[in-house]
Amino acid sequence: MLNQVYRLVDPRQFEVQTVAEEITNNDIIVRPRFLSVCHADTRYFTGQRPQATLRQKLPMALIHEGVGEVVKDPQDKFKPGTLVAMVPNTPFKTDPIIKENYLPSSKFRSSGYDGFMQEYVSLHRDRAIVVPDNFDHQMSAFIEMVSVGVHALTQLEGVMDADRKVIGIWGDGNLGFITATLVKQILPDSQLMIFGRHQSKLDYFSFADKTYLVDDIPNDLKVSQALECTGGRGSESAIAQIIQHIRPMGTAILMGVSEDPVGIDTRSVLAEGLTLRGVSRSGRVDFQRAVDILTDSPVTRERLQNLVGFTRKVSTIQDITDFFEGALTNYWGKAVMEWDV
Ligand SMILES: NC(=O)C1=CN([C@@H]2O[C@H](COP(=O)(O)OP(=O)(O)OC[C@H]3O[C@@H](n4cnc5c(N)ncnc54)[C@H](OP(=O)(O)O)[C@@H]3O)[C@@H](O)[C@H]2O)C=CC1
Ligand SMILES: O=C(CO)[C@H](O)[C@H](O)COP(=O)(O)O
Ligand SMILES: [Zn+2]
């Protein structure tokens, strides 16, 4: 198949390249419909990754969050027109212990391998998860990020001690909001507290039990377990506050990506017997659990629809560039493009 792939060739510069692709009987062809931007994509778009990383990874199609319509299935199992969420992680090996998203042999789209900004995406058939008809399409575009939140909470469930009284989330942006909605479904008996930098963003977390600005947290406040959803330089102070406010032997799940190493007060981590668990990306099972939670919970779907922040139809390279520039200045919510190239 000859495919048109929209690749970032240099920071802020996209180019369409024609690529010959081999399709096997195990693949399906999907036409992308709604695509959502992750911070990882904006770091490539703006050239915030180190020069050596950019040299190694570009040219590359961005975007690892999206839904599309099945165009062709050689096995006729997916009907043409079926809406599917595309799983960006493509494993080539299995391991009894290491999950697919942590296997070094797996390929992750828009991080070294072409993402979803293509005319057609060829997917191994187990990388497509059917999206129910009653899901909002723009919200469905970021099911990948929901699956990351699901993966984080699944990891927390496996690691944490019996104290689930208070779950604290640091970060008042997209990942914090998604993870917060999931805490309400996965740990419904826990009190949910959000710690953020912007009152106007914290106001969106109306379903949380309590929200705090990070410079106004009571000294004696304690959380049982914590999730860090900040990233960048903000991770350092968020992790420091988590260490200060988590109960002894609590678990902190770290999700925010920082370009430079951040300092951690290991003396306190040791003294209090804390567990720090890193979480990155997600696998097929997390996507399926995410879709199941959304299917069973209309209120979660409604909350996540509130996270659609900036949308636009894109048809040309100029539209794509303008869309990414717009996503950079968008204050609240996910940037979702209707892919019409
Ligand atoms: N592990 C994974 O698989 C994934 C990781 N990520 C990463 O998660 C991070 C967050 O992504 P996203 O939610 O989309 O980004 P957002 O910018 O939407 O949200 C981050 C929010 O956290 C706030 N913040 C910064 N520092 C602190 C702090 N110390 N305490 C509390 N809040 C703070 C930010 O405020 P301000 O803007 O003022 O700094 C911002 O409002 C990024 O690094 C992203 O790359 C995203 C997806 C998956
Ligand atoms: O966003 C993510 C998953 O949804 C990850 O943070 C992202 O894949 C990290 O990739 P990179 O190493 O290219 O920054
Ligand atoms: Zn992402």
Side-chain angles (χ1 to χ4, degrees), residues 94-109:
T94 54
D95 189 279
I97 294 171
I98 304 171
K99 294 184 191 305
E100 62 164 77
N101 43 316
Y102 299 111
L103 280 173
S105 52
S106 295
K107 290 183 174 178
F108 193 84
R109 290 178 187 268

Side-chain angles (χ1 to χ4, degrees), residues 38-40 43 145 148 170-176 195-198 201 214 229-232 234 237-238 255-257 279-281:
C38 176
H39 258 300
R43 288 191 290 266
M145 205 186 234
V148 172
W170 267 256
D172 49 11
N174 300 322
L175 191 59
F195 302 88
R197 273 188 173 165
H198 310 268
K201 289 190 183 183
V214 286
C229 303
T230 62
S237 53
M255 279 190 276
V257 176
V279 159
S280 184
R281 305 175 177 170

Side-chain angles (χ1 to χ4, degrees), residues 55-96:
R55 270 199 306 277
Q56 187 200 342
K57 299 201 179 203
L58 303 188
M60 169 176 82
L62 299 182
I63 300 291
H64 55 264
E65 302 178 5
V67 286
E69 279 171 8
V70 175
V71 176
K72 189 172 164 44
D73 174 4
Q75 293 185 24
D76 281 333
K77 288 185 178 147
F78 287 92
K79 277 207 209 108
T82 306
L83 192 75
V84 293
M86 299 177 279
V87 180
N89 191 56
T90 310
F92 292 89
K93 290 183 180 167
T94 54
D95 189 279

Side-chain angles (χ1 to χ4, degrees), residues 170 195 214-215 217 236-246:
W170 267 256
F195 302 88
V214 286
D215 56 5
I217 307 178
E236 186 161 313
S237 53
I239 295 168
Q241 278 195 332
I242 289 172
I243 293 171
Q244 191 186 337
H245 290 284
I246 199 166

